[in-house]
């Protein structure tokens, strides 16, 4: 049973649109992450948060923004979608402590036409 | 720079044993994770090593050598459901995960 939820599961949308990918977790985890993953490739960290009102950019900000107003919610927004944003986006969370495994949502497969 | 290397693809037979290797270079080191990812699904945590040696969890074991910058995941009594990608990830000095591209394991009957 999933404790971290991502919506939508799939999205096909045109260039230039503003998109928000939703991620929520019910585990009370302080740390949350957004990754981008292309088929057969490694995960790239886009943004992360260590708690409410805390957000940091990863190696691949990809012209996106995040917010962390509530512990359980960590949405990712693309202000103006481009075909290069086509990818899978994975949200993850981890508990208190510096070494905790990350738990992943099922991902959003995004296609920009 | 930071880097994780693992083979792109491996094939093994049902019931056999397979070892998936991973070498890492990270800025500082706070341990190494292995995750399993079935096609189209999210990665799931398998194991974590920070000290040298072998950690066993049922059919899966993970080994670490810090001096060699090397780890492996050992899967015994392979089952068809073990067909998946296996991701190696090193935890650097900032406690950020550096991910490998994954090893796609194909199990044949």
């Amino acid at each position: 049973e999933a404790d971290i939820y991502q919506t939508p599961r799939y999205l096909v949308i045109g260039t230039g649109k503003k998109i928000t990918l939703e991620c929520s977790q019910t585990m009370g985890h302080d740390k949350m992450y957004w990754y981008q993953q292309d088929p057969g490739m490694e995960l790239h960290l886009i943004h992360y948060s260590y708690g409410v009102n805390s957000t940091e950019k990863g190696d691949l900000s990809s012209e996106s923004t995040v917010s962390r107003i509530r512990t359980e919610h960590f949405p990712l927004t693309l202000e103006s979608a481009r075909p290069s944003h086509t990818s899978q986006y994975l949200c993850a969370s981890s508990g208190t402590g510096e070494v905790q495994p990350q738990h992943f949502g099922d991902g959003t497969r995004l296609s920009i036409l | 720079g930071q880097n994780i290397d693992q083979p792109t693809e491996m094939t093994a037979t049902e019931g056999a044993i397979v070892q998936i290797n991973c070498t890492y270079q990270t800025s500082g080191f706070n341990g190494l994770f292995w995750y399993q990812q079935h096609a189209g699904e999210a990665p799931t945590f398998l194991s974590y090593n920070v000290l040298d040696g072998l950690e066993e969890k049922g059919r899966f074991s993970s080994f670490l050598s810090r001096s060699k910058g090397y780890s492996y995941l050992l899967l015994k009594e392979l089952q068809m459901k073990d067909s998946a990608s296996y991701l190696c990830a090193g935890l650097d000095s900032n406690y950020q995960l550096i991910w490998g591209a994954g090893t796609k394991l194909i199990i044949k009957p």
Side-chain angles (χ1 to χ4, degrees), chain B residues 7-54:
Chain B
T8 303
E9 187 174 296
M10 298 181 70
T11 302
T13 304
E14 189 177 17
I17 299 172
V18 71
Q19 178 176 311
I20 302 174
N21 296 324
C22 169
T23 57
Y24 63 88
Q25 287 180 303
T26 57
S27 300
F29 180 74
N30 282 299
L32 191 124
F33 287 86
W34 283 96
Y35 282 79
Q36 180 191 60
Q37 186 176 26
H38 284 100
E41 297 183 11
T44 55
F45 168 72
L46 287 176
S47 68
Y48 170 72
N49 295 66
V50 67
L51 300 176
D52 286 356
L54 189 69

